[in-house]
Amino acid sequence: MQRLIPVLNNDHVPLHLISVINTLLTAAKEISHRLHQGSLAGTLGSTLDENIQGETQKKLDVVSNQLIKNMLLETNLVHAVASEEEDDVVMGNPDAKYLVAYDPLDGSSNIDINGSVGTIFSILEKPDHCAEGKELFLQTGDEQIAAGYILYGPSSLLVMTTGQGVRVFTLDHTVGEFLLTVDKLNIPADTQEFAVNMSNQRHWTKPMQQYIQDLLSGELGPRKKNFNMRWNAAMVSDVHRVLSRGGIFTYPADCKHPEKPCKLRLLYEANPMSFLVEQAGGRASTGYERIMSLQPTEIHQRVSVIMGSRNEVDTCLDYFKSIPCDRPDAPTA
Ligand code: F6P
């Protein structure tokens, strides 16, 4: 089985970018090790702090963030990093060209129940125009040059793209290397499986209410087929299932907290996942716009997400086209 570096070399990925990706993986191996140790490593449970999003930080969120940030900045190949766990952008080498946005441990509420979690990353280049601090990262998803995630599940997997399709590598603990296990991942265009947090149903807008209602009606409803539901509450593992066997994953905008209509973050969750999903032949939308075309305005910006099997996402988007509603996530002028 092929190791990661020769595969990326074969794809003509620049050497410095390979080094940045490899550094992320060195951090990921350490995170994987600590997760496997669980209570034995004394890193389960929460800190007393909250992150910029107002969410309780798990000890492993903090540890993972430090590991990734320090290792990336030590390479001298990274100009700046933006992390879910950092209020602001952290600057690295002023002469380096890579920018890395990441969620160090996505789905971290799963840590204490021994569930799957993951690290998500998105790599950009320093823009040509003069930009500083957070402005550096305010680029559309289409500007990403690499993106992926490491899923820490029963096995640790790297799923990544550099814009030449999606590959899966599995961590072989015996040699400490990620080895190629799927050369070209394709999402089936059709599906009978959906992933959504149903407890938010009453807060959704009309198009999403009607779409999910029609899925639940199964073969007796307008879709004339039954649908199954799965929800792991970790985007990495829910999207991994969709990438592996098809499905539709959504965390739509809702009216639960008018000041915070969306949950998932654009730069280090929605954009990298959309890049993977599109590279695997799927679709990713807010309901109204293609996610990777959005112009970000904030590094911790949140966005409505509907992604997965092409035909199913298109069907869902038809509801948004035909059912009028006030958008809780309406873009501000
Ligand atoms: O990043 C936030 C996150 O943990 C995602 O990984 C996941 O999809 C979602 O939140 C789970 O949300 P909820 O707690 O509403 O199920």
Side-chain angles (χ1 to χ4, degrees), residues 184-281:
K184 189 157 177 39
L185 201 65
N186 282 312
I187 306 182
D190 294 293
T191 184
Q192 288 181 239
E193 198 161 69
F194 67 100
V196 69
N197 182 342
M198 283 296 298
S199 70
N200 293 324
Q201 185 177 26
R202 69 187 185 283
H203 305 292
W204 297 332
T205 60
K206 282 191 190 134
M208 188 50 77
Q209 295 258 8
Q210 189 59 55
Y211 169 67
I212 296 289
Q213 186 50 52
D214 288 351
L215 300 189
L216 295 175
S217 302
E219 57 192 10
L220 303 179
R223 299 300 305 276
K224 296 188 172 37
K225 57 182 184 176
N226 294 326
F227 282 79
N228 189 22
M229 195 201 92
R230 288 283 182 267
W231 186 247
N232 288 344
M235 187 186 194
V236 169
S237 73
D238 280 314
V239 172
H240 184 69
R241 186 184 54 255
V242 168
L243 281 163
S244 304
R245 67 180 188 207
I248 181 167
F249 167 90
T250 177
Y251 212 117
D254 64 39
C255 305
K256 193 166 159 186
H257 303 293
E259 72 294 350
K260 196 183 96 176
C262 305
K263 174 143 194 194
L264 301 180
R265 275 53 63 99
L266 176 60
L267 291 194
Y268 40 81
E269 292 181 316
N271 267 345
M273 292 309 205
S274 299
F275 194 10
L276 291 167
V277 164
E278 287 198 5
Q279 283 290 315

XYZ file of all heavy atoms in Angstrom, residues 184-281:
792
model
N -10.001 6.745 -5.143
C -10.910 7.768 -5.676
C -12.283 7.538 -5.081
O -12.966 6.574 -5.423
C -10.957 7.654 -7.211
C -11.698 8.816 -7.833
C -11.294 9.026 -9.284
C -12.074 10.135 -9.979
N -12.365 11.320 -9.188
N -12.645 8.439 -4.183
C -13.931 8.300 -3.495
C -15.005 9.012 -4.314
O -14.828 10.163 -4.703
C -13.806 8.971 -2.124
C -14.801 8.560 -1.062
C -14.600 7.105 -0.692
C -14.606 9.425 0.179
N -16.118 8.321 -4.557
C -17.243 8.940 -5.267
C -18.509 8.763 -4.450
O -18.792 7.659 -3.980
C -17.457 8.255 -6.625
C -16.438 8.734 -7.624
O -16.213 9.933 -7.769
N -15.780 7.785 -8.274
N -19.267 9.836 -4.298
C -20.531 9.737 -3.558
C -21.616 9.259 -4.519
O -21.803 9.889 -5.574
C -20.991 11.110 -3.012
C -19.902 11.771 -2.189
C -22.254 10.972 -2.192
C -20.319 13.103 -1.591
N -22.343 8.194 -4.176
C -23.472 7.809 -5.034
C -24.414 9.006 -5.210
O -24.626 9.777 -4.276
C -24.153 6.679 -4.255
C -23.110 6.169 -3.306
C -22.202 7.325 -3.005
N -24.956 9.171 -6.417
C -25.788 10.351 -6.708
C -27.135 10.296 -5.984
O -27.737 11.327 -5.707
C -25.999 10.469 -8.212
N -27.621 9.086 -5.706
C -28.933 8.934 -5.049
C -28.757 8.278 -3.697
O -27.762 7.595 -3.456
C -29.852 8.076 -5.925
C -30.170 8.787 -7.221
O -30.854 9.824 -7.164
O -29.706 8.313 -8.277
N -29.729 8.475 -2.835
C -29.604 7.948 -1.474
C -30.973 7.760 -0.844
O -31.964 8.324 -1.309
C -28.782 8.915 -0.600
O -28.597 8.348 0.690
C -29.481 10.263 -0.437
N -31.010 6.963 0.218
C -32.229 6.856 1.033
C -31.862 7.059 2.503
O -32.448 6.450 3.384
C -32.891 5.490 0.807
C -33.539 5.418 -0.576
C -34.222 4.114 -0.860
O -33.860 3.431 -1.822
N -35.186 3.734 -0.049
N -30.850 7.901 2.740
C -30.401 8.119 4.125
C -30.158 9.609 4.362
O -29.555 10.269 3.520
C -29.116 7.335 4.357
C -28.797 7.127 5.819
C -27.802 5.988 6.004
O -26.621 6.162 5.615
O -28.190 4.935 6.513
N -30.616 10.123 5.484
C -30.383 11.536 5.793
C -29.842 11.691 7.202
O -30.023 10.826 8.058
C -31.649 12.379 5.589
C -32.786 12.087 6.538
C -33.008 12.910 7.635
C -33.641 11.026 6.338
C -34.065 12.671 8.514
C -34.696 10.763 7.209
C -34.907 11.591 8.297
N -29.146 12.823 7.417
C -28.539 13.114 8.723
C -28.890 14.536 9.109
O -28.518 15.486 8.415
C -27.019 12.953 8.644
N -29.630 14.682 10.193
C -30.012 16.006 10.681
C -30.349 15.866 12.155
O -30.759 14.789 12.597
C -31.230 16.552 9.876
C -32.512 15.780 10.157
C -31.432 18.045 10.108
N -30.153 16.943 12.925
C -30.559 16.912 14.331
C -32.054 17.208 14.389
O -32.478 18.355 14.330
C -29.769 17.943 15.141
C -30.136 17.895 16.612
O -31.183 17.345 16.988
N -29.289 18.466 17.454
N -32.866 16.122 14.487
C -34.326 16.256 14.399
C -34.913 17.066 15.547
O -36.044 17.541 15.450
C -34.978 14.863 14.387
C -34.893 14.129 13.079
S -35.781 14.925 11.716
C -37.457 14.890 12.301
N -34.162 17.226 16.640
C -34.728 17.959 17.774
C -34.929 19.440 17.437
O -35.625 20.151 18.154
C -33.841 17.809 19.013
O -32.645 18.521 18.833
N -34.321 19.889 16.325
C -34.494 21.296 15.923
C -35.655 21.484 14.955
O -35.890 22.596 14.479
C -33.213 21.816 15.247
C -32.061 21.906 16.232
O -32.270 22.231 17.401
N -30.857 21.604 15.772
N -36.367 20.404 14.672
C -37.375 20.435 13.597
C -38.302 21.650 13.670
O -38.537 22.329 12.676
C -38.200 19.149 13.645
C -39.189 19.024 12.511
C -39.940 17.702 12.567
O -40.084 17.110 13.637
N -40.411 17.238 11.440
N -38.832 21.943 14.867
C -39.833 23.021 14.943
C -39.234 24.413 14.694
O -39.963 25.364 14.465
C -40.555 22.988 16.293
C -39.693 23.366 17.484
C -40.473 23.130 18.782
N -39.747 23.588 19.954
C -38.736 22.944 20.522
N -38.295 21.797 20.001
N -38.144 23.423 21.592
N -37.904 24.497 14.733
C -37.254 25.796 14.514
C -36.849 26.022 13.051
O -36.395 27.098 12.695
C -35.995 25.919 15.380
C -36.250 25.704 16.836
N -36.985 26.577 17.594
C -35.870 24.707 17.673
C -37.059 26.134 18.838
N -36.386 24.997 18.908
N -36.946 24.974 12.223
C -36.503 25.128 10.827
C -37.455 26.022 10.053
O -38.626 26.180 10.420
C -36.458 23.766 10.108
C -35.500 22.780 10.673
C -34.340 23.026 11.351
C -35.619 21.356 10.607
N -33.744 21.856 11.700
C -34.508 20.811 11.250
C -36.557 20.493 10.057
C -34.306 19.446 11.376
C -36.371 19.120 10.173
C -35.244 18.620 10.823
N -36.969 26.500 8.895
C -37.841 27.276 8.014
C -38.714 26.295 7.218
O -38.448 25.087 7.179
C -37.018 28.152 7.051
O -36.190 27.309 6.267
C -36.174 29.157 7.818
N -39.715 26.860 6.544
C -40.715 26.010 5.865
C -40.117 25.036 4.845
O -40.516 23.869 4.805
C -41.766 26.886 5.181
C -42.781 27.428 6.167
C -43.933 28.064 5.410
C -44.806 28.823 6.397
N -45.172 30.150 5.929
N -39.182 25.478 3.984
C -38.672 24.510 2.990
C -38.049 23.269 3.645
O -38.304 22.133 3.205
C -37.612 25.315 2.221
C -37.942 26.755 2.470
C -38.605 26.824 3.801
N -37.256 23.469 4.703
C -36.616 22.313 5.343
C -37.655 21.463 6.075
O -37.613 20.233 6.033
C -35.507 22.792 6.295
C -34.646 21.702 6.877
S -33.955 20.502 5.701
C -32.615 21.395 4.958
N -38.630 22.115 6.721
C -39.709 21.370 7.400
C -40.400 20.442 6.401
O -40.621 19.267 6.677
C -40.782 22.356 7.913
C -40.307 23.302 8.971
C -40.755 22.877 10.355
O -41.297 21.806 10.518
N -40.482 23.712 11.333
N -40.732 21.003 5.235
C -41.504 20.224 4.252
C -40.647 19.113 3.650
O -41.110 17.983 3.473
C -42.021 21.154 3.145
C -43.007 20.482 2.210
C -44.235 19.952 2.950
O -44.908 20.710 3.648
N -44.525 18.651 2.830
N -39.375 19.439 3.372
C -38.481 18.425 2.782
C -38.351 17.217 3.715
O -38.549 16.074 3.296
C -37.102 19.056 2.485
C -36.048 18.039 2.138
C -36.120 17.300 0.968
C -34.982 17.788 3.017
C -35.173 16.333 0.668
C -34.022 16.836 2.724
C -34.121 16.106 1.547
O -33.182 15.141 1.258
N -38.046 17.490 4.991
C -37.848 16.363 5.922
C -39.174 15.635 6.149
O -39.211 14.397 6.235
C -37.226 16.849 7.256
C -35.816 17.434 7.026
C -37.163 15.702 8.280
C -34.714 16.457 6.671
N -40.261 16.373 6.199
C -41.571 15.725 6.354
C -41.805 14.729 5.223
O -42.266 13.605 5.449
C -42.678 16.796 6.380
C -44.067 16.252 6.683
C -44.070 15.367 7.928
O -43.593 15.770 8.985
N -44.544 14.121 7.786
N -41.438 15.120 4.008
C -41.649 14.218 2.862
C -40.725 12.997 2.930
O -41.098 11.910 2.498
C -41.453 14.982 1.538
C -42.606 15.947 1.280
O -43.608 15.894 2.031
O -42.504 16.761 0.344
N -39.519 13.169 3.504
C -38.647 11.994 3.687
C -39.277 11.045 4.706
O -39.290 9.826 4.532
C -37.252 12.401 4.186
C -36.405 13.341 3.328
C -34.975 13.434 3.897
C -36.333 12.878 1.886
N -39.814 11.639 5.787
C -40.385 10.811 6.864
C -41.645 10.087 6.403
O -41.977 9.017 6.927
C -40.713 11.682 8.088
C -39.517 12.326 8.801
C -39.989 13.262 9.908
C -38.593 11.260 9.391
N -42.339 10.652 5.417
C -43.570 10.007 4.935
C -43.249 8.734 4.148
O -44.137 7.917 3.887
C -44.361 10.956 4.021
O -44.662 12.125 4.718
N -41.989 8.584 3.742
C -41.531 7.349 3.116
C -42.323 6.969 1.882
O -42.741 7.832 1.109
N -42.564 5.651 1.729
C -43.190 5.196 0.480
C -44.640 5.649 0.343
O -45.210 5.611 -0.740
C -43.078 3.670 0.360
C -43.681 2.920 1.499
C -43.301 1.443 1.484
O -42.423 1.059 0.699
O -43.900 0.694 2.277
N -45.234 6.118 1.451
C -46.621 6.597 1.371
C -46.680 8.065 0.948
O -47.744 8.580 0.610
C -47.320 6.451 2.737
C -47.349 5.041 3.312
C -48.027 5.024 4.668
C -48.074 4.108 2.329
N -45.531 8.758 0.948
C -45.492 10.192 0.637
C -45.062 10.455 -0.793
O -44.906 9.524 -1.591
N -44.816 11.725 -1.114
C -44.479 12.088 -2.499
C -43.161 11.494 -2.985
O -42.968 11.331 -4.185
C -44.389 13.625 -2.448
C -44.296 13.986 -1.006
C -44.901 12.881 -0.215
N -42.228 11.141 -2.075
C -40.951 10.567 -2.508
C -41.086 9.091 -2.877
O -40.191 8.514 -3.484
C -39.873 10.748 -1.419
C -39.555 12.194 -1.054
C -39.033 12.995 -2.249
N -37.882 12.394 -2.876
C -36.622 12.566 -2.466
N -36.385 13.369 -1.449
N -35.627 11.983 -3.096
N -42.157 8.448 -2.408
C -42.473 7.054 -2.770
C -41.367 6.060 -2.443
O -41.200 5.032 -3.104
C -42.838 6.952 -4.257
C -44.103 7.716 -4.618
C -44.518 7.407 -6.040
C -45.858 7.958 -6.422
N -46.242 9.249 -5.915
N -40.530 6.409 -1.453
C -39.540 5.435 -0.973
C -39.228 5.757 0.490
O -39.422 6.903 0.932
C -38.274 5.415 -1.830
C -37.553 6.745 -1.967
C -36.323 6.605 -2.881
C -35.544 7.914 -2.948
N -34.324 7.851 -3.724
N -38.759 4.759 1.220
C -38.465 4.963 2.642
C -37.058 5.508 2.821
O -36.143 5.143 2.086
C -38.592 3.644 3.398
C -40.025 3.171 3.400
O -40.960 3.988 3.437
N -40.219 1.861 3.331
N -36.888 6.361 3.822
C -35.567 6.916 4.148
C -35.171 6.515 5.560
O -36.011 6.425 6.464
C -35.595 8.450 4.041
C -35.515 8.948 2.627
C -36.647 8.938 1.818
C -34.315 9.390 2.096
C -36.575 9.377 0.504
C -34.239 9.835 0.782
C -35.365 9.828 -0.018
N -33.889 6.312 5.736
C -33.324 5.980 7.040
C -32.636 7.232 7.602
O -32.212 8.100 6.835
C -32.290 4.857 6.840
C -31.798 4.299 8.140
O -32.463 4.412 9.163
N -30.611 3.707 8.102
N -32.541 7.346 8.920
C -31.859 8.509 9.499
C -30.689 8.081 10.383
O -30.791 7.080 11.096
C -32.846 9.325 10.338
C -32.327 10.709 10.653
S -33.121 11.462 12.089
C -31.996 10.956 13.381
N -29.581 8.848 10.329
C -28.418 8.617 11.191
C -27.908 9.965 11.674
O -27.884 10.925 10.897
C -27.283 7.920 10.408
C -27.547 6.476 10.072
C -27.344 5.610 11.302
N -27.544 4.200 11.029
C -28.690 3.560 11.182
N -29.762 4.216 11.576
N -28.791 2.268 10.947
N -27.478 10.072 12.933
C -26.922 11.342 13.442
C -25.891 11.017 14.518
O -26.249 10.517 15.587
C -28.035 12.236 14.028
C -27.560 13.614 14.435
C -27.489 14.107 15.707
C -27.106 14.666 13.578
N -27.018 15.405 15.681
C -26.784 15.772 14.391
C -26.945 14.787 12.189
C -26.303 16.977 13.871
C -26.472 15.987 11.681
C -26.161 17.061 12.520
N -24.598 11.281 14.209
C -23.535 11.008 15.185
C -23.181 12.239 15.995
O -22.403 12.152 16.932
C -22.248 10.558 14.477
C -22.372 9.170 13.911
O -23.279 8.432 14.279
N -21.488 8.812 13.010
N -23.675 13.420 15.586
C -23.378 14.694 16.265
C -21.903 15.061 16.188
O -21.390 15.769 17.048
C -23.867 14.689 17.714
N -21.210 14.562 15.185
C -19.843 15.011 14.860
C -19.833 15.114 13.333
O -20.001 14.104 12.645
C -18.796 14.025 15.333
N -19.670 16.344 12.837
C -19.763 16.541 11.386
C -18.824 15.601 10.634
O -19.174 15.047 9.599
C -19.445 17.993 11.055
C -19.685 18.326 9.607
S -19.140 19.991 9.205
C -19.927 20.233 7.626
N -17.615 15.428 11.184
C -16.634 14.575 10.501
C -17.196 13.174 10.294
O -17.127 12.624 9.189
C -15.311 14.503 11.307
C -14.416 13.417 10.755
C -14.585 15.829 11.253
N -17.786 12.594 11.316
C -18.214 11.205 11.107
C -19.519 11.142 10.331
O -19.739 10.203 9.556
C -18.243 10.405 12.407
O -19.300 10.774 13.193
N -20.396 12.151 10.472
C -21.628 12.136 9.664
C -21.311 12.354 8.182
O -21.875 11.684 7.318
C -22.614 13.203 10.175
C -23.378 12.721 11.408
O -23.869 11.579 11.392
O -23.461 13.473 12.396
N -20.400 13.284 7.893
C -20.059 13.524 6.483
C -19.241 12.351 5.932
O -19.364 11.990 4.758
C -19.324 14.877 6.297
C -18.805 15.037 4.872
C -20.269 16.034 6.630
N -18.446 11.720 6.794
C -17.682 10.558 6.319
C -18.628 9.438 5.847
O -18.385 8.803 4.821
C -16.749 10.038 7.409
C -15.885 8.927 6.917
N -14.877 9.121 6.002
C -15.935 7.587 7.140
C -14.327 7.963 5.703
N -14.951 7.024 6.373
N -19.715 9.251 6.608
C -20.685 8.225 6.186
C -21.288 8.600 4.828
O -21.439 7.753 3.942
C -21.786 8.088 7.251
C -22.757 6.945 6.976
C -23.878 6.902 7.993
N -24.567 8.169 8.083
C -24.436 9.052 9.076
N -23.672 8.769 10.100
N -25.084 10.196 9.052
N -21.613 9.891 4.674
C -22.198 10.361 3.408
C -21.205 10.164 2.257
O -21.569 9.713 1.174
C -22.609 11.845 3.555
C -22.936 12.467 2.210
C -23.800 11.973 4.508
N -19.930 10.486 2.503
C -18.916 10.294 1.463
C -18.740 8.809 1.139
O -18.467 8.433 0.001
C -17.570 10.869 1.916
C -17.401 12.390 1.807
C -16.224 12.865 2.654
C -17.200 12.827 0.353
N -18.898 7.966 2.141
C -18.621 6.538 1.952
C -19.750 5.795 1.257
O -19.508 4.937 0.411
C -18.394 5.845 3.299
O -17.377 6.477 4.004
N -21.023 6.113 1.653
C -22.099 5.310 1.062
C -23.266 6.158 0.573
O -24.341 5.626 0.266
C -22.589 4.254 2.062
C -23.284 4.805 3.283
C -23.737 3.685 4.214
N -24.551 4.187 5.293
C -24.645 3.602 6.481
N -23.961 2.507 6.735
N -25.434 4.098 7.410
N -23.071 7.474 0.485
C -24.133 8.364 0.022
C -24.983 8.833 1.184
O -24.905 8.303 2.290
N -25.791 9.854 0.916
C -26.653 10.403 1.962
C -26.734 11.897 1.818
O -26.059 12.502 0.960
N -27.569 12.507 2.652
C -27.614 13.969 2.702
C -27.415 14.364 4.152
O -28.026 13.792 5.060
C -28.925 14.525 2.093
C -28.932 16.064 2.131
C -30.169 13.956 2.750
C -30.043 16.690 1.262
N -26.481 15.305 4.363
C -26.182 15.821 5.707
C -26.627 17.269 5.726
O -26.295 18.029 4.816
C -24.674 15.737 5.979
C -24.248 16.518 7.197
C -24.219 15.915 8.447
C -23.895 17.864 7.095
C -23.844 16.644 9.574
C -23.524 18.591 8.214
C -23.500 17.985 9.456
N -27.368 17.649 6.751
C -27.738 19.056 6.835
C -27.736 19.575 8.262
O -28.127 18.863 9.197
C -29.118 19.330 6.167
O -29.453 20.708 6.347
C -30.226 18.459 6.719
N -27.216 20.787 8.414
C -27.430 21.562 9.640
C -27.939 22.902 9.132
O -27.188 23.840 8.885
C -26.168 21.715 10.495
C -26.554 21.779 11.967
C -26.133 20.803 12.859
C -27.380 22.782 12.440
C -26.536 20.823 14.191
C -27.784 22.808 13.776
C -27.369 21.826 14.632
O -27.781 21.850 15.938
N -29.281 22.970 8.902
C -29.824 24.155 8.243
C -29.915 25.347 9.183
O -29.896 25.182 10.405
C -31.237 23.696 7.847
C -31.614 22.675 8.879
C -30.326 21.989 9.273
N -30.052 26.527 8.608
C -30.347 27.726 9.411
C -31.689 27.476 10.099
O -32.562 26.808 9.547
C -30.435 28.933 8.499
N -31.831 27.987 11.320
C -33.122 27.844 12.002
C -33.429 29.091 12.829
O -32.631 30.038 12.866
C -33.160 26.555 12.839
C -32.157 26.542 13.975
O -31.955 27.594 14.608
O -31.571 25.476 14.248
N -34.585 29.108 13.437
C -35.051 30.314 14.162
C -34.953 30.133 15.675
O -35.593 30.861 16.438
C -36.497 30.617 13.777
S -36.715 30.776 12.007
N -34.139 29.148 16.122
C -34.052 28.866 17.563
C -33.456 30.055 18.319
O -33.992 30.504 19.315
C -33.173 27.632 17.731
C -33.202 27.001 19.100
C -32.559 25.641 18.935
C -32.027 24.989 20.123
N -31.317 23.754 19.755
N -32.306 30.523 17.835
C -31.659 31.691 18.441
C -31.484 32.710 17.312
O -30.536 32.595 16.535
C -30.279 31.331 19.003
C -30.314 30.228 20.007
N -30.912 30.358 21.235
C -29.843 28.951 19.947
C -30.807 29.222 21.904
N -30.164 28.344 21.147
N -32.385 33.696 17.218
C -32.331 34.617 16.065
C -30.962 35.265 15.882
O -30.563 35.550 14.753
C -33.388 35.666 16.411
C -34.304 34.987 17.376
C -33.486 33.979 18.128
N -30.212 35.450 16.975
C -28.905 36.093 16.839
C -27.857 35.101 16.314
O -26.773 35.498 15.911
C -28.460 36.721 18.175
C -28.043 35.787 19.299
C -29.164 34.898 19.870
O -30.353 35.106 19.545
O -28.832 33.965 20.632
N -28.187 33.812 16.316
C -27.242 32.787 15.828
C -28.025 31.750 15.020
O -28.289 30.651 15.490
C -26.558 32.120 17.038
C -25.323 31.329 16.696
C -24.739 30.630 17.918
C -25.203 29.207 18.029
N -24.617 28.451 19.125
N -28.402 32.109 13.765
C -29.280 31.210 13.007
C -28.601 29.943 12.472
O -29.277 29.017 12.056
C -29.774 32.082 11.850
C -28.787 33.182 11.722
C -28.171 33.392 13.064
N -27.253 29.917 12.458
C -26.557 28.751 11.895
C -25.560 28.223 12.912
O -25.069 28.976 13.751
C -25.798 29.123 10.629
S -26.833 29.902 9.392
N -25.223 26.938 12.809
C -24.300 26.352 13.785
C -22.888 26.126 13.233
O -21.894 26.342 13.911
C -24.863 25.018 14.283
C -23.894 24.277 15.180
C -24.536 23.558 16.307
C -23.480 23.148 17.321
N -23.935 22.175 18.278
N -22.809 25.635 12.010
C -21.483 25.195 11.531
C -20.670 26.362 10.970
O -21.219 27.308 10.412
C -21.656 24.097 10.481
C -22.406 22.865 11.007
C -22.553 21.816 9.914
C -21.706 22.274 12.225
N -19.374 26.279 11.136
C -18.482 27.375 10.751
C -18.035 27.223 9.293
O -17.716 26.133 8.832
C -17.258 27.417 11.684
C -17.468 28.193 12.969
C -18.657 27.778 13.780
N -18.585 26.407 14.258
C -18.205 26.061 15.470
N -17.886 26.975 16.348
N -18.189 24.788 15.820
N -18.033 28.361 8.603
C -17.738 28.346 7.163
C -16.291 27.961 6.865
O -16.023 27.071 6.060
C -18.054 29.729 6.571
C -17.714 29.944 5.098
C -18.465 28.954 4.211
C -18.043 31.368 4.665
N -15.336 28.635 7.533
C -13.941 28.509 7.088
C -13.308 27.161 7.399
O -12.502 26.665 6.617
C -13.075 29.616 7.697
C -13.343 31.033 7.206
C -12.218 31.961 7.602
C -13.531 31.072 5.712
N -13.640 26.591 8.566
C -12.922 25.354 8.931
C -13.859 24.161 9.109
O -13.440 23.117 9.599
C -12.044 25.582 10.175
C -12.684 26.444 11.253
C -13.591 25.907 12.135
C -12.370 27.794 11.356
C -14.179 26.694 13.109
C -12.960 28.597 12.322
C -13.859 28.042 13.201
O -14.447 28.817 14.154
N -15.133 24.311 8.742
C -16.031 23.139 8.703
C -16.697 23.046 7.316
O -16.457 22.100 6.570
C -17.097 23.233 9.810
C -16.499 23.079 11.207
C -17.527 23.146 12.328
O -18.423 24.016 12.298
O -17.409 22.352 13.271
N -17.537 24.040 6.989
C -18.334 23.930 5.761
C -17.477 23.957 4.492
O -17.686 23.149 3.575
C -19.369 25.048 5.718
N -16.507 24.873 4.419
C -15.718 24.961 3.180
C -14.877 23.708 2.913
O -14.947 23.153 1.812
C -14.823 26.207 3.194
C -15.498 27.405 2.531
O -16.490 27.241 1.829
N -14.973 28.589 2.764
N -14.073 23.239 3.893
C -13.295 22.035 3.573
C -14.168 20.825 3.263
O -13.885 20.055 2.341
C -12.430 21.808 4.823
C -12.945 22.731 5.879
C -13.690 23.828 5.183
N -15.285 20.674 4.002
C -16.173 19.541 3.727
C -16.832 19.680 2.350
O -17.021 18.705 1.637
C -17.251 19.442 4.808
C -16.706 19.041 6.154
S -15.683 17.563 6.029
C -15.836 16.916 7.678
N -17.165 20.922 1.974
C -17.773 21.140 0.647
C -16.777 20.800 -0.461
O -17.146 20.247 -1.502
C -18.209 22.601 0.489
O -19.163 22.934 1.453
N -15.509 21.165 -0.238
C -14.467 20.854 -1.233
C -14.398 19.332 -1.438
O -14.402 18.830 -2.573
C -13.133 21.409 -0.715
C -12.016 21.484 -1.723
C -12.219 21.283 -3.081
C -10.713 21.776 -1.300
C -11.168 21.363 -3.996
C -9.653 21.849 -2.197
C -9.887 21.638 -3.542
N -14.396 18.586 -0.331
C -14.347 17.126 -0.434
C -15.594 16.588 -1.143
O -15.499 15.755 -2.058
C -14.254 16.499 0.968
C -12.940 16.725 1.720
C -13.090 16.349 3.194
C -11.815 15.908 1.081
N -16.757 17.079 -0.699
C -18.016 16.561 -1.247
C -18.092 16.848 -2.749
O -18.433 15.967 -3.553
C -19.221 17.173 -0.478
C -20.520 16.990 -1.245
C -19.327 16.559 0.911
N -17.728 18.061 -3.163
C -17.786 18.375 -4.604
C -16.758 17.560 -5.381
O -17.021 17.089 -6.482
C -17.564 19.871 -4.842
C -18.769 20.693 -4.435
C -18.771 22.094 -5.042
O -17.880 22.417 -5.856
O -19.677 22.871 -4.686
N -15.570 17.395 -4.802
C -14.544 16.586 -5.483
C -14.974 15.134 -5.625
O -14.497 14.428 -6.501
C -13.215 16.663 -4.718
C -12.459 17.961 -4.949
C -11.894 18.055 -6.360
O -11.329 17.108 -6.872
N -12.074 19.189 -6.998
N -15.885 14.693 -4.738
C -16.377 13.305 -4.812
C -17.669 13.228 -5.638
O -18.340 12.196 -5.644
C -16.606 12.763 -3.409
N -18.024 14.338 -6.299
C -19.185 14.308 -7.196
C -20.493 14.715 -6.536
O -21.556 14.576 -7.148
